[in-house]
Amino acid sequence: MASVVMQLLGCDVAALNTVHFSNHTGYRQFKGTRATADEITALYEGLTQSNLLDFDVMLSGYAPSAAAVEAVGAIGMDLQRKAAKDPGSFFWILDPVMGDQGRLYVNDEVVPAYKNIIRYADLILPNQFEAEVLSGIKITSLATLADAITAIHATYNVPHVIITSVQIANLSDSPSPNTLTIIGSTTRSNGSPRLFRVDVPALDCYFSGTGDMFAALTVARFREAVFNADPALRTTQSWVSPDDVPATELPLAKSTVKVLASMHRVLEKTLEARDAELRAIIPDESEQLLSESERKKKEHLRESKAAEVRVVRHAQYLREPDVEFQASEWRAEDLPERFR
Amino acid sequence: MASVVMQLLGCDVAALNTVHFSNHTGYRQFKGTRATADEITALYEGLTQSNLLDFDVMLSGYAPSAAAVEAVGAIGMDLQRKAAKDPGSFFWILDPVMGDQGRLYVNDEVVPAYKNIIRYADLILPNQFEAEVLSGIKITSLATLADAITAIHATYNVPHVIITSVQIANLSDSPSPNTLTIIGSTTRSNGSPRLFRVDVPALDCYFSGTGDMFAALTVARFREAVFNADPALRTTQSWVSPDDVPATELPLAKSTVKVLASMHRVLEKTLEARDAELRAIIPDESEQLLSESERKKKEHLRESKAAEVRVVRHAQYLREPDVEFQASEWRAEDLPERFR
C-alpha cells in the first residue's frame, strides 16, 4: 500500500519490505516471511555501498520485532546523521505501529524500542492508543489529548505529530458520531503544540491499509506543502514553520487536508465496489454443508477481500482530490468547560 | 519495475517477490535475500486458503534457482487448471529469464526447469539468446529466426511468442544499425507462425529493468487489445485470434506497438535525465587518491544510478504513449534471398 501510493504520486521508492505476506492480516490467516534485523541491516548496507542513500524522505512503518524496530531506527539515525550539515535535506516520517483500540498487537519489547528511536524522527503518526502509550497520558478529553501531544513533543523532541484517528465522539459534542477526527501539531519554539483538527465523514467499513495509505500520502503532500511555503522552510531543520504561522496555515495542516480528501474519495469508491461485489455473490449450495464456524470464516474472507482498498483504479483521486476538507485551529480554551 | 508499471496502468497486483535485493544486479554488487521454492509455494498457499486466486493474468519473471522456477511453474499450472472450464479467463505470460548475449546467467538446471513449464504458458518473452536455447536453433538469419519461433510454437505448444530483442543488424539490411527489432507471433491453427516485426530507434545506453518493463506493459496492453477485439476472443483459449486475422491486426501486434511507444518515450526521458545528472557531478578531489580500479568502480556505480529508469515521473507516457510505431507483417519469402 505505502509503496504504490507514493509511486502513484510520482515518488521514486526504494522499498525495504519488513514482511512478505500472502495477504494482510485482517483476513486472520496468512503465510509468508518476516525480515530479521540482520536482513534489514544488510539491505541498507547494500544501498550504502553503492551510494544509493540520496533519500529526501524516509517512511518507516510496521516492523515485526523489537530488533527489527531497532534496525529500522539505526537506518533513520544514520540518514539523519548524514544530512546533519544540510538541514531540511532529509525528513523521517515514523509510524509507530504498536496497537489500536486499547490493545498492543506487538511484543511488549517493541514499545521501548520505539521510545528509543522516535527522538530521531521528524514526524510521527500514532493513532490514539499509540499516542497514549508514548505519552503515558490516558486520553479522556480534549484537554488530555492536548496534554498527550505536548508531552510527545517534549519527551521525544519530535516536532510534528499527527494523531491519525481520535474517538472524538467519546470526548466532546462533535458534529456527528459519524465523524472521524484527525489532530495534528507542529511545535512552536517554546515547545507548545500548534494544534489543528480536521473532521471527515466516517465510512461504515473496516479497511485494511489505511494507516499506510495516510502515511504514504503524507510523504508526498507534506513535502509538496513545504516546497510551496516560504522557501526558507526547505532548508530549516525538520521543516518547522516560524512561530507566527498559525496552526491552520501550517504545511502539515495543508498536507493533511489533501491527504484526507484523497483517502475519503478512494474509500468511498471502495465501499461502492465492495457493496456491488458482495451483492453479486451467488450463494453456493455446498456452503450449507459447512459448520457454522466454517461458514463464518468463509464470509469473513469474502468480506475482507471485497473491502480491499481500490487504490490503483482510483489513482486520479490521489493525484487530484476533488473534495475539500478544512483544518481548524484547536485550542483547549475554546472547548466546553467539561472538555478543557 | 514490473509491479509498479502494472499498477501505474491500473492493474491490482499481488506481487510474489522471488528476490529482495538492495539494488539491481547491474551495479555488480548488491545485498539481500532470495526466496526459496518453499517460501514461494507457501505464499501461494496463503492466497489459496483465503480464496485470493481470481487473477486475470499472471506474469512470471526471474526466479533464483531451478527449484524456484518449478515452484513458480506449479503456481501457473494450478491457475491454468482452475481456469480450464472457463477459457480465456486466465492468461500466463512467462519471461524465461536465463541469459543474454550468448551467455547463461543462471544455473544450468534452470534451462530444463523452464523447458518443462513453458508448455503451460500462453505467451513467452524470450530474448534472442533465450529463443535459441529453447528452440535449439542458432539464429543467424531471418529464416532461422522464423524457424526458431515455429519450433517454439510446436515444441512447447505455446501460442504467443515475442522475441524482445533481435540483433537484426547482423542478419539483414535493417533500416539502420541504431534500430532495435522486436519480433512477435501468434500461431495459426496449423501451427505455423504469424510473424510481425516492429522496429524502434535504439538508445545508446544500457538500462536495467527494461525486460520487466516490457513484460509488465504487455500484461496491461495485450489484455486491453484482446478486450477491444472481437468479443469472442475473450472467451477463446489463450486468446488466439482466428486464422484469417493477419499478423499486423493481431492483438499481440497492437499491444506490442503501444508497449514499445511507452518504453521508447520513458527511456528517452531517462537518457536526458541521466545525461543531466552525470553532467552535474562535481569531481571530488579525494577521488584522485583512489586506485584506478576503485575510481572505475565508483564511476560505474554513478553511471548505473544515473541510468535508473525514470518510470514513476513519466507515468503519463505509460498511460498515453505519444509516439507511433508500426507493426509490419514479416514473411521469409519477402526477404532478400540470402536471408531466407
Side-chain angles (χ1 to χ4, degrees):
Chain A
M1 173 64 91
S3 289
V4 68
V5 166
M6 289 187 279
Q7 289 169 327
L8 290 169
L9 285 172
C11 304
D12 280 311
V13 175
L16 197 163
N17 299 321
T18 53
V19 297
H20 188 21
F21 289 166
S22 56
N23 49 269
H24 70 67
T25 56
Y27 285 86
R28 297 181 198 151
Q29 59 180 10
F30 59 91
K31 303 212 174 196
T33 52
R34 293 168 176 81
T36 65
D38 283 349
E39 286 169 349
I40 291 168
T41 303
L43 285 168
Y44 185 67
E45 285 169 0
L47 294 171
T48 305
Q49 73 178 357
S50 292
N51 307 324
L52 297 170
L53 299 184
D54 58 333
F55 300 111
D56 298 316
V57 180
M58 164 167 155
L59 169 61
S60 62
Y62 175 73
S65 67
V69 170
E70 286 164 14
V72 170
I75 295 171
M77 284 179 225
D78 190 57
L79 290 170
Q80 292 284 27
R81 204 159 34 231
K82 287 185 163 72
K85 27 178 203 336
D86 199 2
S89 65
F90 173 70
F91 194 93
W92 179 7
I93 300 179
L94 185 157
D95 188 356
V97 182
M98 296 188 285
D100 204 0
Q101 313 281 348
R103 202 173 63 79
L104 280 183
Y105 43 59
V106 293
N107 283 342
D108 287 348
E109 319 92 77
V110 170
V111 177
Y114 270 120
K115 287 185 173 176
N116 286 332
I117 66 169
I118 285 174
R119 63 191 70 256
Y120 300 96
D122 299 296
L123 161 61
I124 67 168
L125 306 172
N127 58 31
Q128 182 172 346
F129 172 67
E130 291 158 346
E132 290 177 345
V133 169
L134 293 176
S135 66
I137 294 169
K138 179 87 189 145
I139 297 170
T140 56
S141 64
L142 294 179
T144 48
L145 179 54
D147 288 346
I149 291 180
T150 306
I152 288 171
H153 280 318
T155 310
Y156 304 99
N157 198 28
V158 64
H160 307 275
V161 180
I162 300 175
I163 303 191
T164 52
S165 61
V166 180
Q167 303 282 328
I168 200 83
N170 306 329
L171 303 180
S172 85
D173 46 355
S174 73
S176 121
N178 298 326
T179 296
L180 195 70
T181 299
I182 289 85
I183 311 279
S185 169
T186 295
T187 192
R188 285 193 196 82
S189 54
N190 66 1
S192 66
R194 227 177 316 191
L195 293 164
F196 62 87
R197 72 182 270 176
V198 187
D199 294 317
V200 299
L203 298 174
D204 184 25
C205 178
Y206 172 76
F207 301 105
S208 187
T210 53
D212 289 330
M213 190 178 178
F214 184 95
L217 287 165
T218 297
V219 167
R221 292 302 184 191
F222 187 37
R223 183 173 177 280
E224 172 189 72
V226 166
F227 279 53
N228 287 340
D230 183 329
L233 191 59
R234 284 175 60 163
T235 55
T236 300
Q237 176 65 38
S238 295
W239 300 343
V240 178
S241 299
D243 285 353
D244 61 352
V245 175
T248 53
E249 292 301 310
L250 288 169
L252 194 63
K254 292 182 179 177
S255 162
T256 302
V257 157
K258 274 203 164 176
V259 165
L260 293 170
S262 287
M263 286 189 66
H264 183 70
R265 187 62 89 207
V266 170
L267 295 179
E268 212 172 44
K269 292 285 176 189
T270 299
L271 201 55
E272 286 171 22
R274 181 198 75 147
D275 291 347
E277 188 171 320
L278 291 176
R279 267 196 310 272
I281 288 166
I282 298 147
D284 179 350
E285 285 183 19
S286 70
E287 284 187 32
Q288 301 302 322
L289 303 170
L290 298 176
S291 70
E292 175 70 5
S293 74
E294 284 170 324
R295 218 173 17 246
K296 284 211 162 145
K297 178 181 165 184
K298 209 164 172 182
E299 197 174 298
H300 174 71
L301 295 176
R302 209 144 53 192
E303 284 172 358
S304 299
K305 179 167 199 318
E308 288 274 8
V309 180
R310 269 51 164 197
V311 66
V312 298
R313 315 239 179 131
H314 297 295
Q316 79 268 29
Y317 299 118
L318 300 185
R319 286 191 295 266
E320 288 162 24
D322 64 347
V323 280
E324 292 256 330
F325 296 126
Q326 299 289 327
S328 52
E329 191 165 353
W330 196 43
R331 291 174 298 188
E333 60 266 34
D334 295 340
L335 304 171
E337 192 170 348
R338 70 183 190 284
F339 298 118
R340 279 182 206 166
Chain B
M1 174 63 90
S3 289
V4 68
V5 166
M6 290 186 280
Q7 289 168 327
L8 289 169
L9 285 173
C11 306
D12 280 312
V13 175
L16 198 164
N17 299 321
T18 52
V19 297
H20 187 21
F21 289 167
S22 55
N23 49 269
H24 69 69
T25 57
Y27 285 86
R28 298 182 198 150
Q29 58 180 9
F30 60 90
K31 302 211 174 197
T33 51
R34 293 168 177 80
T36 65
D38 284 349
E39 285 168 350
I40 292 168
T41 303
L43 285 168
Y44 186 67
E45 285 169 2
L47 294 171
T48 305
Q49 72 177 358
S50 291
N51 308 324
L52 296 171
L53 299 184
D54 57 333
F55 300 110
D56 298 315
V57 180
M58 165 167 155
L59 169 61
S60 62
Y62 176 73
S65 67
V69 170
E70 285 164 14
V72 170
I75 295 171
M77 286 178 224
D78 191 57
L79 290 171
Q80 292 284 26
R81 201 158 38 230
K82 287 184 163 72
K85 28 181 203 333
D86 199 2
S89 65
F90 173 71
F91 194 93
W92 179 7
I93 299 178
L94 185 155
D95 187 356
V97 182
M98 295 188 287
D100 203 0
Q101 312 282 348
R103 204 173 64 78
L104 279 184
Y105 41 59
V106 295
N107 283 341
D108 288 348
E109 319 91 77
V110 169
V111 177
Y114 270 120
K115 287 186 173 175
N116 285 333
I117 67 171
I118 286 174
R119 64 191 70 256
Y120 301 96
D122 299 296
L123 162 62
I124 68 167
L125 305 173
N127 57 32
Q128 182 172 346
F129 172 67
E130 290 157 347
E132 289 176 347
V133 170
L134 292 176
S135 66
I137 294 169
K138 179 86 188 145
I139 297 170
T140 56
S141 63
L142 294 178
T144 48
L145 179 55
D147 288 345
I149 292 180
T150 306
I152 289 171
H153 280 316
T155 311
Y156 303 100
N157 197 26
V158 61
H160 308 275
V161 180
I162 300 175
I163 303 191
T164 52
S165 62
V166 180
Q167 304 282 327
I168 200 83
N170 306 329
L171 302 181
S172 85
D173 47 354
S174 73
S176 122
N178 299 323
T179 296
L180 195 70
T181 299
I182 289 84
I183 310 278
S185 169
T186 296
T187 193
R188 285 193 196 82
S189 54
N190 65 2
S192 66
R194 227 176 317 191
L195 293 164
F196 61 88
R197 73 184 267 177
V198 187
D199 294 317
V200 300
L203 298 173
D204 183 25
C205 179
Y206 173 75
F207 302 106
S208 187
T210 52
D212 289 331
M213 191 177 178
F214 184 95
L217 286 165
T218 297
V219 167
R221 293 300 182 194
F222 187 36
R223 183 172 177 280
E224 174 189 73
V226 166
F227 280 53
N228 287 340
D230 183 330
L233 191 58
R234 287 174 59 163
T235 55
T236 301
Q237 176 66 36
S238 296
W239 299 343
V240 177
S241 299
D243 285 352
D244 61 351
V245 175
T248 53
E249 293 301 309
L250 287 169
L252 193 64
K254 293 181 178 177
S255 161
T256 302
V257 156
K258 274 202 165 177
V259 165
L260 293 170
S262 288
M263 286 189 65
H264 183 72
R265 187 61 92 207
V266 170
L267 294 179
E268 212 172 42
K269 293 285 178 190
T270 298
L271 202 54
E272 286 170 21
R274 181 199 74 147
D275 291 347
E277 189 172 318
L278 291 177
R279 267 196 310 273
I281 287 166
I282 299 149
D284 180 349
E285 285 182 21
S286 69
E287 283 186 33
Q288 300 303 319
L289 303 170
L290 297 177
S291 70
E292 175 71 7
S293 76
E294 284 170 326
R295 219 173 17 246
K296 283 212 163 143
K297 179 181 166 186
K298 210 165 171 180
E299 199 176 297
H300 175 71
L301 295 176
R302 210 145 52 193
E303 283 172 0
S304 298
K305 180 168 197 319
E308 289 273 7
V309 180
R310 269 49 165 200
V311 66
V312 298
R313 315 239 179 131
H314 298 295
Q316 79 269 28
Y317 299 118
L318 300 185
R319 286 189 296 266
E320 288 162 26
D322 64 348
V323 279
E324 294 257 330
F325 295 126
Q326 299 287 329
S328 52
E329 191 166 354
W330 197 42
R331 289 174 298 188
E333 61 266 35
D334 295 340
L335 302 173
E337 190 169 348
R338 71 186 189 282
F339 299 118
R340 276 182 210 163

